Amino acid sequence: MFERIPSRLFWKLLLALLISGALSIVGAYIILRLSGHTPPPANEHLRIGIVPLLPFAPLLSITLAVVVTSAGLAWYLSRPLERLKWALRRAAEGRLDTRVHALMSGRRDEIVDLAEDFDRMATRLQQLQESRRILLHDISHELRSPLSRIQAAIGVLEQDPSQTGIMIDRITRESERLDTLIEELLTLHRIEDLTANMVRESVDVIEVLHAVAADAAFEARASARTVSIDAPGRFVMPANADLIYRAFENAVRNAVKFSPPQGDVEIVAVVAPDGTWLDVCILDRGPGVSEEMLETIFHPFTRAGGSESVAGSGLGLAITRRAVEMHGGQVSAARRLGGGLSVRFSIPLSS
């Protein structure tokens, strides 16, 4: 697993420490001479010509102490770095299940902190890799379904030309679904790309909410539903106006789609007394979701039970959560007393 021979860093540290120890001995001898002190008498039998050597026993013990201490310290510093090198090599090979903190033998220093940071990084990368794998699987499934129906419609047309009008309508609907799905996927991809370089400007989020409510109310009239809003005051923050609008729009449209005829979707916004937070609730009287689905509805392509007949890509709430998180906020869902769903946004003044 690890290299048995000492690393280059070990030899460099050992050499540096040995030189440091040797210089300390020489410096001590020079100081003794310059200060007028006489070193302990040397063994008269240990001479080079007529010059007596330094005392042999003390010199040997000091040298051994320096060598042992230097070797131990060099090993102590280089060994954990060797383990980190091994872990990084495995991660580069795609083995993201590698963890190195457990190999640090109970150490408590900055190198262990670095090992913990590596483990967190590897865990996050592993989660991202798994989520992307699931996302690609879901994308392929979602794309295959309308394509299969288009192929089936074409097959019917080839066998029975009298069904032309019905099949063309079917092909048109499936093509529109494909177009919507691709547009939502591109939006999700753009949001991921904006994470590091998002353009922000001063945005009044309350004003954005009123714009979303007005657009949703206009569309809801066609299905005998209404949208009401209670959002007084202002909440100006640095934000990306398009993403904030899209986050609220997806949640409101979702509430309208699942509301019963004559149902009312309520939007309630409250600014914290100190002005540092904005809480927004979007409430409907639709069928709601089970307790187990309250978190997963924010995952891509997740649909609540019984929603198969409702048009949509299954990406709206995933886009909502990602856009809100990019602004330092949180979004969650809860079952509403008396039936329906409550989607709550908590957005800080500065992310």
Side-chain angles (χ1 to χ4, degrees), residues 154-173:
I154 292 173
V156 171
L157 278 176
E158 290 175 346
Q159 296 175 10
D160 186 5
S162 65
Q163 300 286 327
T164 298
I166 298 174
M167 291 301 106
I168 287 179
D169 289 343
R170 182 70 179 188
I171 291 172
T172 301
R173 287 199 304 272

Side-chain angles (χ1 to χ4, degrees), residues 241-272:
D242 291 337
L243 287 184
I244 287 291
Y245 183 95
R246 190 65 180 269
F248 290 130
E249 180 190 41
N250 286 345
V252 172
R253 281 189 168 181
N254 201 62
V256 170
K257 281 192 300 185
F258 286 96
S259 291
Q262 312 303 323
D264 179 46
V265 173
E266 303 172 52
I267 304 173
V268 181
V270 178
V271 180

Side-chain angles (χ1 to χ4, degrees), residues 131-144 301:
S131 65
R132 288 186 181 277
R133 185 191 66 78
I134 294 173
L135 182 60
L136 285 173
H137 174 271
D138 292 341
I139 288 173
S140 63
H141 174 75
E142 293 292 327
L143 291 175
R144 187 180 295 115
F301 302 114

Side-chain angles (χ1 to χ4, degrees), residues 134-314:
I134 294 173
L135 182 60
L136 285 173
H137 174 271
D138 292 341
I139 288 173
S140 63
H141 174 75
E142 293 292 327
L143 291 175
R144 187 180 295 115
S145 298
L147 285 173
S148 298
R149 289 190 287 268
I150 289 174
Q151 291 172 346
I154 292 173
V156 171
L157 278 176
E158 290 175 346
Q159 296 175 10
D160 186 5
S162 65
Q163 300 286 327
T164 298
I166 298 174
M167 291 301 106
I168 287 179
D169 289 343
R170 182 70 179 188
I171 291 172
T172 301
R173 287 199 304 272
E174 299 300 337
S175 298
E176 290 172 351
R177 288 180 181 176
L178 274 175
D179 183 65
T180 301
L181 175 60
I182 292 171
E183 179 61 31
E184 294 291 290
L185 285 170
L186 290 174
T187 299
L188 190 62
H189 178 69
R190 283 195 295 267
I191 289 177
E192 295 292 339
D193 285 347
L194 281 173
T195 300
N197 301 305
M198 183 171 63
V199 177
R200 298 173 186 262
E201 55 186 341
S202 293
V203 176
D204 185 351
V205 181
I206 300 292
E207 184 179 333
V208 172
L209 267 175
H210 280 281
V212 170
D215 292 342
F218 178 78
E219 296 177 10
R221 281 202 298 266
S223 56
R225 297 174 174 91
T226 58
V227 177
S228 61
I229 181 170
D230 179 14
R234 289 166 55 84
F235 188 79
V236 180
M237 62 174 286
N240 184 292
D242 291 337
L243 287 184
I244 287 291
Y245 183 95
R246 190 65 180 269
F248 290 130
E249 180 190 41
N250 286 345
V252 172
R253 281 189 168 181
N254 201 62
V256 170
K257 281 192 300 185
F258 286 96
S259 291
Q262 312 303 323
D264 179 46
V265 173
E266 303 172 52
I267 304 173
V268 181
V270 178
V271 180
D274 60 1
T276 58
W277 282 86
L278 173 68
D279 284 330
V280 179
C281 282
I282 298 172
L283 309 147
D284 66 64
R285 286 297 183 186
V289 299
S290 64
E291 197 73 33
E292 298 76 17
M293 293 286 293
L294 291 176
E295 175 62 25
T296 57
I297 57 174
F298 294 100
H299 297 172
F301 302 114
T302 299
R303 292 177 178 270
S307 65
E308 294 79 5
S309 60
V310 180
S313 64

